Amino acid sequence: MDIVPAPTDQPSCTGNTPVPDRLGPLVRVEGRWFIGDHERKAHIALLPQGFEHRVAGHEPHLVTWDRLMDLTVAVTSNRFFSTPVGGLLTKYDGITVHGSTLRATVRHPYDVWVPRFIHHRCWYPVNEILALDALLSTTVELGRAERLGDDSWLRSAVALVTSGRHVRKGWRGYELSEALTDLITREG
């Protein structure tokens, strides 16, 4: 996954202090998890039964956890390149005229599901985008997608990947993979 680096003149959603209830575009607000700006036109809610794509003026579309076969996130640090216009101008893989999206292969029936979401009004640190993509994809690959709808488990997972040195220096790929695999496969 290619990611556009964040410019230094834009405010970060997290500032210099780790925020346990935010990981790039994933944010917890009033006890509920969302991908994208939940106050704007399009976002994705993480519910106990699955992802619910919400777009103003349309009925919400639910994709249950058991339908997910794979999952990735396509978003840039910079808000502009995560818009449809920015998607036309960018050369980065995954970002298209649809802007910021999740991308999943789903079953029953088999299809590709690409829900769009609106970027928050701040930039996302690249390390957080990479960690979120790893968290989502690893959880689905290991057959535990339903954990993404468990508030306490997701808070633990976000706290793990945003903890201490990992936010500032970033995870090494194998460290993040091992930590996530351990957390996802742990019972309870």
Side-chain angles (χ1 to χ4, degrees):
M1 177 172 84
D2 290 323
I3 298 168
V4 177
T8 56
D9 62 340
Q10 290 185 344
S12 167
C13 291
T14 60
N16 295 327
T17 311
V19 177
D21 291 343
R22 177 181 293 275
L23 185 61
L26 176 69
V27 63
R28 185 173 185 264
V29 179
E30 298 176 3
R32 298 175 64 187
W33 288 94
F34 300 97
I35 296 177
D37 190 342
H38 70 287
E39 296 177 342
R40 312 240 346 255
K41 183 178 178 179
H43 61 276
I44 301 157
L46 285 76
L47 305 175
Q49 58 270 41
F51 282 120
E52 186 174 76
H53 187 217
R54 299 175 179 174
V55 179
H58 298 280
E59 285 292 315
H61 177 74
L62 179 70
V63 171
T64 58
W65 300 122
D66 62 340
R67 291 190 63 206
L68 296 172
M69 297 173 63
D70 61 36
L71 181 63
T72 60
V73 63
V75 65
T76 61
S77 293
N78 183 305
R79 190 172 126 200
F80 174 73
F81 287 116
S82 289
T83 64
V85 172
L88 280 171
L89 302 174
T90 188
K91 62 181 182 207
Y92 296 95
D93 289 339
I95 304 298
T96 66
V97 295
H98 299 293
S100 299
T101 62
L102 289 183
R103 181 176 176 85
T105 305
V106 296
R107 60 175 72 90
H108 309 302
Y110 289 92
D111 198 4
V112 176
W113 181 58
V114 186
R116 180 173 182 269
F117 61 90
I118 304 296
H119 199 289
H120 290 90
R121 292 183 160 109
C122 55
W123 61 271
Y124 305 134
V126 172
N127 291 343
E128 289 188 19
I129 295 171
L130 293 172
L132 175 61
D133 188 57
L135 172 64
L136 295 174
S137 63
T138 305
T139 305
V140 171
E141 286 170 14
L142 292 175
R144 299 303 305 264
E146 75 282 354
R147 289 208 156 180
L148 297 171
D150 178 339
D151 178 56
S152 62
W153 183 85
L154 192 53
R155 286 187 83 189
S156 297
V158 170
L160 170 73
V161 298
T162 60
S163 64
R165 70 180 178 88
H166 306 300
V167 169
R168 293 186 298 279
K169 295 181 183 174
W171 287 85
R172 290 186 179 101
Y174 68 89
E175 289 177 333
L176 180 58
S177 178
E178 287 177 3
L180 286 173
T181 298
D182 180 57
L183 180 69
I184 294 163
T185 57
R186 190 179 316 144
E187 292 302 315

